Amino acid sequence: MRCDGTYRQYVAYLAALSIRCPVALVDGSAAGSGQAFPVTYDYSPGEDLLEIDEGVPPEIHADLAVLLSTSGSTGAAKSVRLSHANIRANAESIIAYLGITGDDKAAMSLPFQYSYGMSVVNSHLLAGAEIVLMPGSVSSPEFWETFKSRGCTSLAGVPHTFDLIEQSRVDTSGLKTLRMMTQAGGKMPPAAIEAWSARSRAEGWSFVVMYGQTEAAPRMAYLPPEEAQANPGCIGRAIPGGTLSVRNDAGDILPDGEEGELVYEGPNVMMGYASSAADLALGQGPGVLHTGDLARRQPNGLFAITGRQSRFVKLFGYRISLDELDAKVKRDGISAASIAIGEEIHVVAGIPSEDAARLADEIDRWLKFPRGTVRVHAVTDLPRNANGKIDGLGMRAVAEAGSASATPPVRPVGRDMTAAEIFRVHFPASDIDDDTSFIDLGGDSLNYLSVALDLEASVGDLPDGWENLPARDLDALSASRRSTVAVDMPTLVRALAIVAIVADHFQLFAYGGGGALSLFLVAGWAFGAFTLPSVLRSGSIAPIVTLGLRVGIFTALMGAANWALTGYGSWPATFFVSNWVGPDVPGGAWFVEVYLQCLLLISLPLLSPSVRSFFAMKGFTALAVTAACAALAAIALDSVLDTDHLYRRLPFLLGWVFLLGMVAQAARSSGQKMWVALIAASGIMGFYGIAVSPFFAVVTFAMIWSPKLRMPRPLAIPIRSVAAGSLAIYLTHFQFASALAKVGLTHPTVSVIGSVIGGVLVWRIYLRIDHLVTKALPVQSTRAAKDGLS
């Protein structure tokens, strides 16, 4: 059955089980059946189309219920055979340790053909509970609106699911019916487990970490919620009805604390694999599963995974035999050997260095994995021991040295590029694969629009929340070349504000001011969308430091160049404090100065773990309260302090606008937007009164209520380019106008157009060296933070 998420797939699945017709669950978008043998019935639920093979069906064992494909791991199609008894035993165990009852409602957030998703369905339906088919992903507002309206009680997710929830700043405390969240499908960092465990306890629901493999239908272990905080690095204990043990190569059970292979025994262990039609007739295997994972049993009875057996690695849900990989490469006439390091496959090959990339691509295609999954290291001779065998330590040394020095190839952006390749153009110093998202790379307001422009040229219109999507999901988008394109309101405001500022400076037209305030609003929106989630996820303010240094370094370079060429500059401007001296300090860039000072003020409270936890758990509520308090403080301070000679260009007076942008970005529901509008109206009237800039007032409420605006594609491209280069335009527009004046071009229209184009070009050129600056800064990507680095 081709699983596509529609309700018919579940109906067909239950119908097949009821008549004891084995069903193979495959990805609906995949080519072929994914099986090593022909299937008799090929059903597409979305189209309600059943194709029947009239050939002679293979002999099938009466107990066989489900086939889950593992093809693609080493090119040899193979399926896990699960019996009715296997899936029922596992479902009963899950019901027991999770306490599932007929009152539960599970939000279906995982693909059904994925064994984890299948187990959610099996366990809940067996308990008489409900499953709720959800719209969109966990990063979309529609998902959580449905979660609340249907009264869902549970959510199952893989580690990336919880990353998306954090990045989207979902207020889980507002999920009144939530009873538990479960995590499996890969190792979650212990720090993240501790954070989610703490959040769940504070909000009154349970967070359950689980461990399993498809071969066990799929659960084998769970970590009781009450033990997660003290044991975040453990997979827990065996599920009811099963047993776990740690064994040596001879099969002997090892005592606590000693490392060996983790072995599971239980009634949910698969019947066996199916590599041919003849295997379908075979009965139940021994009920023992050698997991391929190395582990230790702790004195408290909990098990902890310590690594993988050297010749197996699990990627994308598939268990890969490195021996089979080596045999394949050798069949192609290449002397090579492979090794697994963490979650990566490294192949050391006796080939010229210029052939390494080609071989890596060939292996990726053979494995049916994304480009860049396998790393190939070219050597003259393979490292061997004195007896002629491959030297494992030597292999590891070659792989680690090669990884440290490797730089991913970067080529100009083109329409045939994948999302990961586009990311490499903009983040060449980062480790990027098909699971990487813009947010993972530490993307922020400085490169958001440049990346969006290049992605749209390749994949078409970008959906809401594209910055949270992994590269593989971006590649899966249907390319759209419609005559109109959706531009998000912050981008439009950013472009309009900088053009209005420049036009006003050159007296082309007077718009009434408020452009800089609008840019503060957009800056806050971008900080809330990109930088704050990185801070909360990494537990460090390094992303703020990185952002501030990148803006500061670029501004300093522009200021130093101007000072050297024209003599127009000053030390207060160099140290970004001219806004405290006066409005006419030579070389002063007050907007950047106040922005950097706001970043400093925001970073100080975020040094506290308790403050970070407050923002992580309370999300929108925390931001709304902070913005409202900042607005009230600004109004009060403005009434007692005389700062008119400084034009109110001080962080404690303008910071509330920045925070207003953050809370506007976090608002999802109509009710939340009403609160933002109330804070905005109160702040504007209290601080500016009737003297408020109409431009600022209009764009503020437009950003709250109109997230996107469709416009002709030829218009959208220059708008995004101008918005992306707004900082450079702000810093260089007087210099470009002066250069044009020297050749007799003094008309305001020419000055505006020339300075805008010049600023865009300066920014596009600077982006080519920005990655060198970023590489030397505290945080290069939030992926490093997720791996425990900061």
Side-chain angles (χ1 to χ4, degrees):
M1 181 172 64
R2 302 185 178 279
C3 300
D4 55 12
T6 58
Y7 77 94
R8 289 193 189 96
Q9 71 181 17
Y10 303 102
V11 176
Y13 171 74
L14 296 173
L17 292 185
S18 67
I19 62 172
R20 302 188 76 81
C21 173
V23 56
L25 304 179
V26 300
D27 185 347
S29 63
S33 68
Q35 308 303 313
F37 37 80
V39 295
T40 303
Y41 305 102
D42 190 343
Y43 181 55
S44 300
E47 304 170 9
D48 197 19
L49 177 64
L50 179 66
E51 298 180 9
I52 302 176
D53 186 340
E54 300 294 344
V56 178
E59 183 181 351
I60 299 175
H61 195 279
D63 293 338
L64 183 60
V66 176
L67 291 161
L68 295 176
S69 175
T70 64
S71 63
S73 61
T74 51
K78 185 169 63 174
S79 294
V80 170
R81 295 183 295 121
L82 297 174
S83 70
H84 289 270
N86 293 155
I87 60 176
R88 186 179 186 91
N90 204 229
E92 289 174 343
S93 294
I94 294 170
I95 291 170
Y97 72 77
L98 291 183
I100 301 173
T101 71
D103 295 328
D104 280 307
K105 297 181 180 180
M108 279 303 293
S109 56
L110 299 169
F112 182 42
Q113 71 274 10
Y114 177 35
S115 58
Y116 187 8
M118 181 194 70
S119 71
V120 172
V121 173
N122 290 342
S123 57
H124 280 76
L125 295 187
L126 183 61
E130 297 181 21
I131 58 172
V132 180
L133 308 190
M134 308 295 287
S137 74
V138 294
S139 62
S140 69
E142 295 79 13
F143 183 97
W144 298 105
E145 288 170 4
T146 301
F147 193 103
K148 292 178 181 178
S149 65
R150 294 302 304 272
C152 293
T153 61
S154 66
L155 174 73
V158 297
H160 186 61
T161 304
F162 296 93
D163 288 343
L164 287 177
I165 293 174
E166 287 184 331
Q167 291 161 11
S168 303
R169 294 208 305 280
V170 176
D171 184 6
T172 51
S173 66
L175 305 176
K176 304 305 182 185
T177 58
L178 176 63
R179 190 174 70 81
M180 66 178 165
M181 289 190 184
T182 61
Q183 181 270 315
K187 185 177 181 180
M188 179 180 275
I193 293 174
E194 286 187 71
W196 277 99
S197 176
R199 177 190 291 201
S200 67
R201 289 202 317 276
E203 296 177 1
W205 47 274
S206 299
F207 181 68
V208 186
V209 176
M210 306 187 299
Y211 166 84
Q213 294 181 358
T214 301
E215 289 85 345
R219 294 277 73 78
M220 291 184 282
Y222 73 103
L223 182 60
E226 62 274 11
E227 299 185 64
Q229 196 72 14
N231 303 276
C234 293
I235 61 169
R237 53 174 54 91
I239 64 173
T243 59
L244 285 171
S245 58
V246 177
R247 306 192 180 207
N248 59 20
D249 292 341
D252 301 321
I253 296 178
L254 298 174
D256 291 352
E258 291 194 21
E259 184 182 77
E261 184 184 14
L262 185 67
V263 177
Y264 175 80
E265 298 179 69
N268 52 309
V269 174
M270 65 176 177
M271 300 173 75
Y273 292 111
S275 300
S276 67
D279 293 332
L280 301 180
L282 300 177
Q284 176 65 45
V288 178
L289 179 61
H290 292 262
T291 66
D293 286 326
L294 299 176
R296 290 189 180 93
R297 186 182 186 275
Q298 298 184 161
N300 60 6
L302 302 180
F303 290 81
I305 300 294
T306 58
R308 299 188 189 279
Q309 285 189 306
S310 60
R311 303 311 297 161
F312 287 93
V313 64
K314 192 169 186 179
L315 288 174
F316 308 106
Y318 300 119
R319 190 171 184 232
I320 302 160
S321 167
L322 298 184
D323 290 333
E324 289 186 48
L325 192 158
D326 290 351
K328 190 272 178 192
V329 176
K330 290 176 182 176
R331 286 196 299 270
D332 294 338
I334 298 173
S335 175
S338 58
I339 185 173
I341 300 179
E343 301 293 327
E344 295 180 340
I345 298 175
H346 296 259
V347 177
V348 178
I351 56 175
S353 57
E354 58 267 23
D355 292 340
R358 176 190 55 78
L359 178 59
D361 283 347
E362 289 179 0
I363 297 173
D364 284 336
R365 287 195 297 271
W366 178 66
L367 292 171
K368 301 183 180 69
F369 281 169
R371 281 185 69 187
T373 299
V374 174
R375 300 192 179 197
V376 173
H377 309 277
V379 295
T380 304
D381 297 298
L382 298 185
R384 297 182 183 275
N385 295 319
N387 60 8
K389 292 184 178 181
I390 295 295
D391 178 7
L393 292 177
M395 287 276 291
R396 181 176 290 272
V398 169
E400 291 178 344
S403 296
S405 61
T407 299
V410 175
R411 58 189 177 95
V413 173
R415 288 197 172 189
D416 61 334
M417 292 181 70
T418 65
E421 289 170 335
I422 291 173
F423 286 158
R424 290 189 186 105
V425 171
H426 292 273
F427 303 93
S430 299
D431 184 15
I432 296 170
D433 56 34
D434 273 21
D435 286 321
T436 305
S437 70
F438 177 79
I439 287 290
D440 289 337
L441 294 167
D444 53 33
S445 58
L446 297 181
N447 42 32
Y448 169 74
L449 288 169
S450 301
V451 176
L453 280 167
D454 289 340
L455 282 173
E456 191 165 79
S458 177
V459 306
D461 287 353
L462 295 174
D464 290 338
W466 68 264
E467 60 273 11
N468 294 316
L469 296 177
R472 70 171 70 255
D473 289 357
L474 290 170
D475 290 334
L477 295 172
S478 299
S480 170
R481 297 285 173 250
R482 292 186 291 181
S483 59
T484 63
V485 63
V487 175
D488 61 87
M489 189 57 65
T491 296
L492 180 58
V493 169
R494 194 166 157 185
L496 292 176
I498 194 62
V499 171
I501 290 171
V502 173
D504 191 56
H505 284 176
F506 296 146
Q507 299 180 350
L508 179 61
F509 59 79
Y511 73 105
L517 290 176
S518 301
L519 290 177
F520 271 119
L521 191 72
V522 173
W525 183 95
F527 184 91
F530 310 122
T531 309
L532 182 61
S534 297
V535 170
L536 300 181
R537 187 163 60 249
S538 65
S540 165
I541 64 165
I544 305 178
V545 177
T546 298
L547 175 61
L549 286 174
R550 289 177 68 201
V551 173
I553 289 171
F554 177 70
T555 304
L557 288 175
M558 296 296 101
N562 185 50
W563 197 356
L565 293 173
T566 68
Y568 188 76
S570 65
W571 288 113
T574 300
F575 290 103
F576 303 114
V577 293
S578 70
N579 63 308
W580 291 86
V581 177
D584 300 316
V585 175
W590 75 267
F591 173 83
V592 176
E593 293 167 351
V594 176
Y595 173 72
L596 293 176
Q597 292 161 22
C598 284
L599 291 184
L600 176 62
L601 291 176
I602 288 174
S603 66
L604 293 177
L606 288 173
L607 285 168
S608 167
S610 60
V611 172
R612 293 196 301 269
S613 297
F614 174 68
F615 277 95
M617 289 190 294
K618 297 303 180 181
F620 172 83
T621 303
L623 288 172
V625 170
T626 304
C629 291
L632 291 173
I635 294 169
L637 290 170
D638 189 48
S639 66
V640 298
L641 297 176
D642 180 9
T643 60
D644 288 348
H645 64 291
L646 297 177
Y647 290 15
R648 292 171 156 179
R649 295 171 177 175
L650 299 170
F652 59 85
L653 296 180
L654 296 181
W656 72 273
V657 179
F658 188 86
L659 289 165
L660 181 64
M662 292 174 62
V663 73
Q665 188 279 330
R668 297 292 183 266
S669 65
S670 297
Q672 290 178 339
K673 292 180 179 180
M674 284 293 295
W675 278 110
V676 180
L678 179 61
I679 295 170
S682 301
I684 288 172
M685 294 308 299
F687 196 75
Y688 294 104
I690 60 174
V692 65
S693 157
F695 182 90
F696 175 59
V698 169
V699 301
T700 297
F701 291 101
M703 283 182 57
I704 295 171
W705 294 105
S706 302
K708 285 195 174 185
L709 184 68
R710 295 204 71 85
M711 61 182 62
R713 185 179 294 274
L715 181 60
I717 292 175
I719 285 176
R720 284 175 170 165
S721 296
V722 170
S726 58
L727 176 60
I729 295 170
Y730 176 80
L731 294 173
T732 64
H733 64 288
F734 283 115
Q735 287 72 32
F736 277 109
S738 177
L740 290 169
K742 290 180 180 179
V743 295
L745 300 175
T746 58
H747 193 280
T749 301
V750 176
S751 298
V752 171
I753 295 175
S755 60
V756 168
I757 293 175
V760 170
L761 291 176
V762 166
W763 184 245
R764 295 295 288 188
I765 293 170
Y766 182 74
L767 279 178
R768 296 179 178 272
I769 63 172
D770 180 60
H771 70 271
L772 298 177
V773 176
T774 306
K775 187 176 182 179
L777 296 181
V779 168
Q780 297 170 34
S781 75
T782 56
R783 171 159 294 193
K786 287 192 289 186
D787 290 337
L789 304 175
S790 61

